[in-house]
Amino acid sequence: MKTDNLRMLITGVSGLLGNNLALYFRDKYEVLGLYLTCPVNIKGIYTEKCDISDLFSIKKIILEFKPSVIIHCASLTNIDQCEIDKELAKTINIIGTDNIVKSILDKNLKLIYISSDSVYDGIKGNFSEDDEIRPQNYYGISKYEGELKVLMYKNSLILRTNLFGWNIQNKKSLAEWILEELKMNHQINCFKDAYFSSIYTFELAKVIDIAIQHNLKGIYNCGSSTSCSKYEFALKIADYFNLDKKLIKPISIDEFNFKAKRGKNLTLNVMKIQKALDYRLPDINQSIEAFYRDYKCGLPDFIKNNQVKKENNFEFIPYGRQWINENDILSVTNVLRSNRLTQGPIVEKFERAVAEYCGAKYAIATNSGTSALHIACLAAGINEGDEVITSPITFVASANCAVYCRAKPIFADIDKKTYNISPEEIDKKISSKTKAIIAVHFAGQSCDMKNIYEIVKRAEKIFGKKIFIIEDACHALGSIYNNTKVGSCVFSDMTILSFHPVKHITTGEGGMILTNDEELYKKLKRLRSHGITSNVEEFTYKECAYTLASDKEILNPWYYEQIDLGYNYRITDIQCALGISQLKRLKEFIHRRRYIVERYNAVFDGFEFIKTPLESENCKSNFHLYVLLIDFDAIGINRAYFMYELKKRGIQTQVHYIPVHTQPFYRKHFNTNWGDCPNAEDYYRKCLSIPLFPAMGDEEVNKVIKEILSLIKK
């Protein structure tokens, strides 16, 4: 059974031992596994990307996760690679270990360091912990240097070992390699003069478990209690799996051209740890038997299925979609097991996290981006007779929110290069009736907010009134404008975010308003929840809020007041838990999107009848969408046929957007029409959004490129 408040941090969770330990300990601990380049999903544990050579990164994770046990498995274990690239080996094996120790010196936890039999010289064999340390290669040197770092922490345990097991990556431990080659009837050469005391990973996990219970400290050898040559090891594998032993040929290690020198006899004496734990370690036959037993139970396939595969086998590639991993699922299920599913602490935690990320003072989460836009307009006091200027190239919600308040939407044409609302067009449309500007950051490209801000400030002086600036940043979480994150509200009163599944992070459905204005913040909180407040400072009838009891006034615990006409636009703790987990991956999501954009640009920039998206000098875009402008007349294919053909080939494309002013509702009620915004209308005739989402594999990107090229080159 899992014990409350016991947390285990495992570094190198995508490696052989780290992954196997995570599986073993997940029922006893809340486990967080760290990886660097190979993401994994393991049911029941959290995983997170972390470069342990970055002190700040590992320190932050340890501070936030608060583990009671750290098992440090992360290591560069390829002996020849360590010899060739000593700097890399030093960075991972020594500096990474040092950073972990530095991160926990002031903490009370258990540190277990997985060292190696390679710290010994491999000459005499049957090494005890008191034997001289004389590594024969840089791998052994780096592991011993790691030991010295670990010894600086008093509550530490160092295990010198050699192991085999089932790998999650497309790598093979010695036992896996022997098994696979023999199953394919391949002849293999195995060293008859290289001896070791290798232990099966899950048997090692049992030893570690017992060592934790005994609070074992110090340095210990920890392998199988008996030893054999690698040739004999292969014969034992063949026996257990009933494979042809004749395929196994004995050779000398001297015949193999290794880059790094290796000791021939690295057998370990494990008497010290057996005595300390009062536990007999398995002999090498028992280790192989356990390896065989787990094979028959299907463990290797289960482990391989935990690897995050690049998702190249979709029957259909959408233009965008969410990327949910096991951490996200665990975050949600933890809330489902809690006492509060809505109006609980996770909502505020999500709000604080996003506000901190964007650099705003306040955040108010809602059940959708549309809801957020609506109450932003209400908080700005938009009403009948007011005008709200916005872009025609956006989802209809950017204009509908003004109509909800009985105001008149005014559409300002877009800039031909960025497809965002043109500041010059705003300047032409602004008037004494203008109550707000809703600037839409289309596809992640920030509007020219500094210019818009200056235009609005001039207009405020001319008309003698406040004009609100609302950033519709539903596409732009993570984008940077003028070296400041979108959402900081430097040039606006409020910023709106959306967490729909195609957006950068998702809460299923959800939205948020960011602001630096405390009064707006208070009003937005009320409007989100029926216009009701329980804040005494906001009460109209304060005398009704108190009762005289025992000569002392006390606040009536049930009392609340409805101050505004609000709505039920609340978001749940369940959704916000997902949002918090997703926010941690935002940097990774943006990095992947930008990589795909670079691939697309490299191909499509060369065609005279195709225009790729612009990224302006003052903006680093998150690239929510990748929109091509295609001269369909020039390539002799109409857009509908083009999209239909791609759909038949398993690729979804989309049009973002039909200009809002051309929609029947707006033409009927606000007398808008084709011709009002010529730049937007010309953009619409050519635009096509092609698939772009972080879970896209390289093969999917290649397929999209290939199929589009096949159509435009016909």
Side-chain angles (χ1 to χ4, degrees):
M1 291 292 292
K2 188 180 291 187
T3 307
D4 291 342
N5 300 321
L6 284 183
R7 294 182 170 186
M8 176 179 285
L9 180 70
I10 300 175
T11 68
V13 74
S14 60
L16 170 62
L17 180 59
N19 179 261
N20 288 187
L21 290 179
L23 286 173
Y24 178 88
F25 283 108
R26 64 179 176 171
D27 294 328
K28 296 186 176 187
Y29 292 82
E30 184 177 343
V31 178
L32 170 62
L34 303 183
Y35 65 88
L36 180 58
T37 57
C38 300
V40 293
N41 281 340
I42 306 170
K43 187 176 181 181
I45 79 158
Y46 296 95
T47 60
E48 188 169 338
K49 183 175 182 177
C50 177
D51 182 356
I52 60 172
S53 68
D54 178 3
L55 177 59
F56 175 79
S57 296
I58 185 63
K59 201 168 189 176
K60 182 173 182 289
I61 286 173
I62 291 172
L63 183 66
E64 291 177 352
F65 185 63
K66 298 180 176 62
S68 52
V69 179
I70 297 177
I71 305 181
H72 179 30
C73 303
S75 180
L76 185 63
T77 58
N78 186 307
I79 295 176
D80 282 348
Q81 187 181 0
C82 288
E83 204 69 24
I84 295 167
D85 194 345
K86 292 180 180 177
E87 195 61 37
L88 179 62
K90 178 182 177 182
T91 299
I92 298 173
N93 297 354
I94 303 174
I95 295 174
T97 303
D98 189 37
N99 286 341
I100 290 172
V101 174
K102 286 177 178 176
S103 300
I104 64 172
L105 284 174
D106 60 342
K107 294 175 173 53
N108 181 25
L109 54 81
K110 186 74 178 180
L111 174 61
I112 301 172
Y113 175 67
I114 306 301
S115 188
S116 169
D117 58 3
S118 291
V119 299
Y120 301 115
D121 62 15
I123 296 174
K124 76 176 185 68
N126 195 32
F127 288 98
S128 69
E129 293 81 353
D130 296 328
D131 282 320
E132 185 179 357
I133 300 301
R134 292 173 54 190
Q136 296 294 296
N137 48 58
Y138 192 74
Y139 169 66
I141 292 171
S142 67
K143 293 303 289 183
Y144 179 62
E145 290 289 333
E147 288 185 8
L148 296 179
K149 302 294 184 183
V150 171
L151 287 173
M152 295 171 62
Y153 186 71
K154 291 183 179 179
N155 192 13
S156 62
L157 171 63
I158 296 168
L159 298 178
R160 295 171 178 166
T161 189
N162 185 295
L163 52 91
F164 65 95
W166 301 108
N167 220 314
I168 190 170
Q169 296 184 48
N170 293 323
K171 300 177 180 178
K172 298 178 181 67
S173 67
L174 177 61
E176 289 176 291
W177 172 76
I178 292 167
L179 178 60
E180 185 170 309
E181 293 297 305
L182 294 182
K183 284 172 66 178
M184 293 189 294
N185 290 316
H186 292 169
Q187 180 177 308
I188 60 173
N189 296 323
C190 293
F191 302 135
K192 62 184 178 183
D193 51 356
Y195 295 87
F196 63 171
S197 304
S198 197
I199 187 170
Y200 179 43
T201 49
F202 284 92
E203 293 298 319
L204 177 58
K206 291 178 188 177
V207 178
I208 293 173
D209 194 5
I210 297 168
I212 293 171
Q213 295 171 39
H214 283 71
N215 194 25
L216 191 65
K217 302 174 187 177
I219 300 175
Y220 293 86
N221 292 335
C222 189
S224 289
S225 59
T226 58
S227 57
C228 66
S229 70
K230 294 187 177 181
Y231 170 68
E232 291 168 329
F233 182 76
L235 294 176
K236 292 175 186 292
I237 294 284
D239 277 337
Y240 272 97
F241 287 86
N242 196 26
L243 297 169
D244 188 358
K245 291 193 286 187
K246 294 177 183 177
L247 294 170
I248 307 168
K249 303 299 179 185
I251 65 167
S252 172
I253 194 171
D254 297 329
E255 298 176 38
F256 206 85
N257 188 27
F258 286 119
K259 298 291 183 184
K261 188 177 179 182
R262 286 158 166 80
K264 289 186 176 181
N265 191 341
L266 289 169
T267 56
L268 299 173
N269 185 317
V270 296
M271 293 297 295
K272 181 181 175 183
I273 195 168
Q274 290 187 142
K275 183 177 180 181
L277 299 180
D278 190 23
Y279 177 78
R280 179 167 176 77
L281 271 63
D283 63 33
I284 205 156
N285 289 325
Q286 290 168 329
S287 272
I288 295 172
E289 182 180 0
F291 176 78
Y292 171 75
R293 185 172 58 247
D294 284 345
Y295 171 83
K296 297 298 286 185
C297 292
L299 183 63
D301 290 336
F302 175 80
I303 288 174
K304 289 292 185 187
N305 287 336
N306 287 326
Q307 185 179 8
V308 175
K309 298 178 176 64
K310 293 180 180 178
E311 303 181 36
N312 301 322
N313 298 317
F314 282 140
E315 292 182 6
F316 190 73
I317 305 172
Y319 82 84
R321 72 169 183 87
Q322 73 282 354
W323 187 0
I324 302 296
N325 69 6
E326 187 69 21
N327 293 357
D328 299 325
I329 294 167
L330 279 168
S331 297
V332 171
T333 56
N334 284 341
V335 172
L336 289 172
R337 294 187 180 102
S338 72
N339 294 326
R340 300 287 293 275
L341 299 185
T342 188
Q343 295 178 271
I346 304 301
V347 175
E348 289 186 6
K349 185 177 179 182
F350 181 45
E351 290 171 336
R352 288 195 303 271
V354 176
E356 182 180 345
Y357 175 84
C358 293
K361 287 184 179 179
Y362 307 106
I364 304 91
T366 62
N367 58 6
S368 72
T370 299
S371 301
L373 281 164
H374 183 196
I375 62 173
C377 288
L378 290 171
I382 294 170
N383 213 324
E384 189 170 2
D386 292 330
E387 293 181 349
V388 176
I389 299 173
T390 192
S391 171
I393 297 302
T394 182
F395 186 59
V396 292
S398 306
N400 288 353
C401 58
V403 182
Y404 297 155
C405 300
R406 304 189 302 281
K408 180 180 181 180
I410 303 294
F411 296 100
D413 208 353
I414 63 170
D415 179 271
K416 287 184 177 182
K417 294 181 179 179
T418 66
Y419 318 144
N420 278 330
I421 192 168
S422 164
E424 291 75 18
E425 291 298 313
I426 291 175
D427 205 14
K428 291 177 186 176
K429 304 275 183 170
I430 207 163
S431 72
S432 60
K433 293 183 178 181
T434 303
K435 185 70 173 181
I437 311 294
I438 299 179
V440 181
H441 303 317
F442 177 71
Q445 170 74 47
S446 174
C447 296
D448 187 356
M449 292 307 302
K450 187 173 185 291
N451 199 353
I452 292 171
Y453 177 84
E454 291 169 351
I455 289 168
V456 168
K457 290 304 165 186
R458 287 198 301 269
E460 286 179 336
K461 289 181 180 179
I462 293 169
F463 301 119
K465 57 178 283 190
K466 168 70 177 174
I467 299 174
F468 285 85
I469 301 175
I470 301 171
E471 296 178 72
D472 182 341
C474 290
H475 288 188
L477 176 62
S479 293
I480 296 172
Y481 171 75
N482 274 9
N483 299 315
T484 304
K485 287 209 176 91
V486 169
S488 61
C489 298
V490 172
F491 298 109
S492 65
D493 298 284
M494 291 172 275
T495 300
I496 311 302
L497 301 174
S498 169
F499 308 119
H500 183 275
V502 299
K503 299 303 197 299
H504 268 60
I505 69 171
T506 187
T507 58
E509 284 279 5
M512 188 171 284
I513 310 108
L514 297 162
T515 184
N516 295 323
D517 187 314
E518 187 177 6
E519 290 306 311
L520 281 175
Y521 169 66
K522 290 177 180 177
K523 193 168 186 180
L524 288 162
K525 283 193 75 174
R526 294 197 302 269
L527 290 167
R528 173 181 66 180
S529 189
H530 306 282
I532 288 173
T533 182
S534 296
N535 185 348
V536 177
E537 294 178 359
E538 296 178 319
F539 287 165
T540 302
Y541 305 111
K542 290 186 173 65
E543 67 275 9
C544 299
Y546 292 93
T547 295
L548 188 64
S550 303
D551 298 324
K552 183 181 179 181
E553 275 193 337
I554 61 169
L555 183 65
N556 294 325
W558 67 84
Y559 191 75
Y560 61 87
E561 289 185 355
Q562 182 186 342
I563 295 176
D564 304 297
L565 179 61
Y567 299 82
N568 184 357
Y569 283 167
R570 296 189 299 254
I571 194 170
T572 68
D573 286 60
I574 301 168
Q575 292 167 287
C576 289
L578 176 58
I580 291 168
S581 180
Q582 287 262 299
L583 186 63
K584 294 175 182 177
R585 304 171 65 200
L586 179 57
K587 183 178 179 181
E588 175 188 357
F589 290 164
I590 293 173
H591 179 78
R592 179 62 184 171
R593 283 177 178 269
R594 291 183 65 85
Y595 169 79
I596 296 169
V597 167
E598 289 174 6
R599 291 281 311 282
Y600 283 157
N601 285 344
V603 174
F604 298 123
D605 269 342
F607 292 88
E608 60 178 345
F609 41 80
I610 294 179
K611 181 182 177 184
T612 55
L614 170 79
E615 185 174 29
S616 63
E617 290 182 0
N618 59 7
C619 177
K620 184 175 181 181
S621 176
N622 67 6
F623 279 105
H624 167 59
L625 298 171
Y626 188 86
V627 183
L628 292 172
L629 293 197
I630 302 175
D631 187 340
F632 290 100
D633 291 336
I635 64 174
I637 304 174
N638 68 53
R639 181 167 56 188
Y641 176 77
F642 196 88
M643 294 175 72
Y644 176 72
E645 278 297 314
L646 288 174
K647 186 176 181 180
K648 284 201 305 184
R649 302 175 193 196
I651 298 169
Q652 182 191 28
T653 52
Q654 187 58 277
V655 172
H656 294 97
Y657 293 95
I658 303 172
V660 180
H661 69 280
T662 69
Q663 294 290 349
F665 173 84
Y666 285 93
R667 294 174 70 177
K668 178 180 178 181
H669 293 281
F670 298 100
N671 297 316
T672 59
N673 214 329
W674 288 97
D676 290 352
C677 299
N679 291 345
E681 292 159 26
D682 182 62
Y683 158 86
Y684 163 65
R685 293 184 185 97
K686 298 176 181 177
C687 69
L688 187 71
S689 299
I690 67 175
L692 175 62
F693 51 94
M696 280 184 80
D698 288 348
E699 289 183 21
E700 288 178 305
V701 175
N702 292 338
K703 180 178 180 182
V704 171
I705 292 170
K706 176 186 173 183
E707 297 299 348
I708 289 176
L709 290 179
S710 72
L711 286 173
I712 64 178
K713 288 182 175 180
K714 277 187 175 180

